[in-house]
Amino acid sequence: MKLRPKHKRPGFTLLEMMVVCFLTVLLGALLSVTWSGLCRPAADISSRACLTQEANLAAASFVRDLGGFLANPEGRIGTKYLYPFVGRMQPGGTQLWLCFDGGASPNGDADWGRPDTVIVYYVQGSQLIRWDQNANTTYVVANHVSSMQTQDQGTGVQITLTMSFGKITQIYVFKALDP
């Protein structure tokens, strides 16, 4: 009598399945660490770049208005006798009011109303807003602004903008001397 060899059934053993599962979990963990290590810095760089761009827009607007003369409706900068800077206020430390002398016969004093032109900077929601009171026009200067603090420095003003985008928060400090 001949003995027939037993044939193995096709399939995997329990030990082989456990090894494959372990290697799959290990590979997933390695990919996860690698992915987060590569993508998180890229997202942070993107957030920082966005905040820097918005801060540059705010700085450009402050420079225009704190330069000494208000631009006229055609966009030309004022002169010594046309819309000169005559006053600044920081109500509550959260707004910046700038007064530019105007009218047919400028008096050299900040009247904080017509015929002077008053420009107001303030934060609404997450936007830095510039409001021309006389023309009653507003526009968004910068986005992602959490807060604005203004502080009188005697001969100038310090403006502190706190800006947030994603998980990044940056603080920008602008110092301007009165013209």
Side-chain angles (χ1 to χ4, degrees):
M1 172 182 246
K2 278 187 165 180
L3 292 174
R4 290 185 181 172
K6 291 186 179 180
H7 292 287
K8 285 185 171 182
R9 289 187 303 212
F12 300 106
T13 65
L14 183 58
L15 181 62
E16 291 171 330
M17 287 300 290
M18 287 176 56
V19 167
V20 168
C21 287
F22 173 76
L23 291 175
T24 303
V25 168
L26 182 65
L27 180 62
L30 289 173
L31 284 174
S32 172
V33 169
T34 302
W35 185 256
S36 67
L38 293 176
C39 291
R40 187 171 297 134
D44 288 352
I45 289 170
S46 175
S47 296
R48 288 179 197 278
C50 179
L51 291 179
T52 301
Q53 181 179 12
E54 294 295 327
N56 285 337
L57 292 170
S61 186
F62 290 142
V63 165
R64 273 191 311 273
D65 287 339
L66 291 168
F69 305 100
L70 182 66
N72 65 11
E74 291 84 33
R76 295 188 191 95
I77 298 298
T79 65
K80 183 177 179 181
Y81 303 105
L82 183 64
Y83 302 114
F85 177 84
V86 290
R88 168 184 48 81
M89 289 193 304
Q90 301 80 229
T94 59
Q95 295 182 1
L96 178 63
W97 291 42
L98 306 172
C99 187
F100 297 90
D101 211 2
S105 57
N107 61 7
D109 293 326
D111 298 323
W112 300 106
R114 293 190 185 271
D116 292 354
T117 298
V118 178
I119 303 296
V120 179
Y121 285 92
Y122 61 94
V123 174
Q124 182 178 27
S126 64
Q127 298 176 323
L128 177 63
I129 306 292
R130 180 187 183 272
W131 174 36
D132 182 335
Q133 283 186 345
N134 293 0
N136 198 24
T137 58
T138 62
Y139 73 86
V140 176
V141 174
N143 291 302
H144 311 295
V145 180
S146 305
S147 69
M148 177 176 81
Q149 298 297 317
T150 57
Q151 184 178 18
D152 186 9
Q153 301 285 302
T155 60
V157 64
Q158 176 176 307
I159 305 162
T160 305
L161 292 180
T162 304
M163 304 177 82
S164 297
F165 186 72
K167 295 181 180 180
I168 302 296
T169 298
Q170 299 245 347
I171 297 174
Y172 297 92
V173 179
F174 305 97
K175 293 184 179 183
L177 295 175
D178 292 336

